[in-house]
Amino acid sequence: LAERANSSGFAQRLESAGGGGASLQATSVKNTKLVKLDVRASTPEQARKVTETVIRLLQEDHQTLAEPIERALSKAVEQNNKELQLITQAITQLNKQGQQAANGKADPLSYIIFNQAQQQLNDRRLELVEKINQSEANLLEQRSFKTGPVTPTYASDRPVYPKTNLVTLVALLAGGFLGVLVVFVINAYENRTKVNR
């Protein structure tokens, strides 16, 4: 999500959606499913507007990407449920045949074959139940995961850039250092010329 928001294609979409003149930097928050958006614009109102546009565009992207995944997971759950019903019916039928064979005192070889078939069907049934549970969990996670704001949008009323206090402090320190350096250079030059005379 962060990579998509930082891409040049997304920047073009944002500009065409009315978010021109602002810079966007998206970073993913470690060990979470959150993305931090840093929007810089000329005014706080424009920054809020651009942020809302970014969230709307990301929601549209998420919906477009999520629909085929949800359809595939739903289809897998549906197919596995149908197969589970067929296996359950086969197990029920096999149990009826086994009871009839037990009443008729079937030979031991048929009883062994019957048990093996029943065990294979039960193993396949358990495998399908596990697959269905996993697919349903994935589907629930996919449906519950939505793109949207987690915290309210915060826009600073003071400009983020340029940092006038920092620039002034650096200019004063650099100016003072250069002034002292010029005095030392002039002093050294005068001392050298006096020695040469």
Side-chain angles (χ1 to χ4, degrees):
L1 191 64
E3 288 176 9
R4 190 180 327 129
N6 290 330
S7 69
S8 58
F10 190 83
Q12 291 172 353
R13 285 182 60 206
L14 181 60
E15 189 172 331
S16 66
S23 69
L24 168 67
Q25 180 64 40
T27 53
S28 59
V29 181
K30 288 186 178 182
N31 301 324
T32 66
K33 293 182 179 182
L34 301 177
V35 173
K36 179 183 173 189
L37 298 176
D38 183 14
V39 177
R40 295 184 184 203
S42 57
T43 64
E45 293 77 26
Q46 185 184 8
R48 283 189 189 95
K49 182 181 173 190
V50 170
T51 303
E52 290 168 2
T53 305
V54 168
I55 291 170
R56 181 178 51 81
L57 290 174
L58 290 174
Q59 285 172 333
E60 290 171 3
D61 286 353
H62 176 81
Q63 188 64 27
T64 303
L65 295 170
E67 283 177 1
I69 296 170
E70 286 183 19
R71 278 196 305 269
L73 287 171
S74 297
K75 187 176 180 181
V77 168
E78 185 180 324
Q79 288 174 344
N80 287 334
N81 277 329
K82 284 181 183 177
E83 189 176 349
L84 183 63
Q85 286 177 348
L86 292 174
I87 287 178
T88 303
Q89 289 172 356
I91 289 174
T92 304
Q93 184 65 30
L94 201 59
N95 284 338
K96 285 181 185 177
Q97 290 174 354
Q99 288 174 353
Q100 291 171 356
N103 291 339
K105 303 289 185 196
D107 63 78
L109 183 59
S110 348
Y111 186 72
I112 291 171
I113 293 172
F114 166 76
N115 278 341
Q116 286 177 345
Q118 188 177 24
Q119 185 62 40
Q120 287 177 346
L121 283 174
N122 280 329
D123 290 345
R124 179 64 183 147
R125 183 178 177 281
L126 290 174
E127 190 179 306
L128 277 173
V129 167
E130 189 176 316
K131 269 186 178 180
I132 290 169
N133 288 340
Q134 183 63 43
S135 296
E136 286 177 343
N138 291 341
L139 185 60
L140 180 64
E141 182 181 357
Q142 183 66 30
R143 287 180 176 160
S144 64
F145 180 68
K146 300 295 179 194
T147 301
V150 177
T151 59
T153 303
Y154 169 74
S156 174
D157 292 332
R158 294 177 52 200
V160 177
Y161 184 84
K163 299 181 186 264
T164 53
N165 292 341
L166 182 63
V167 170
T168 304
L169 181 63
V170 170
L172 286 173
L173 289 175
F177 176 74
L178 286 175
V180 171
L181 184 65
V182 167
V183 168
F184 279 116
V185 168
I186 291 173
N187 191 17
Y189 178 72
E190 287 178 354
N191 286 341
R192 181 176 272 181
T193 55
K194 286 180 186 177
V195 170
N196 289 339
R197 288 187 189 162

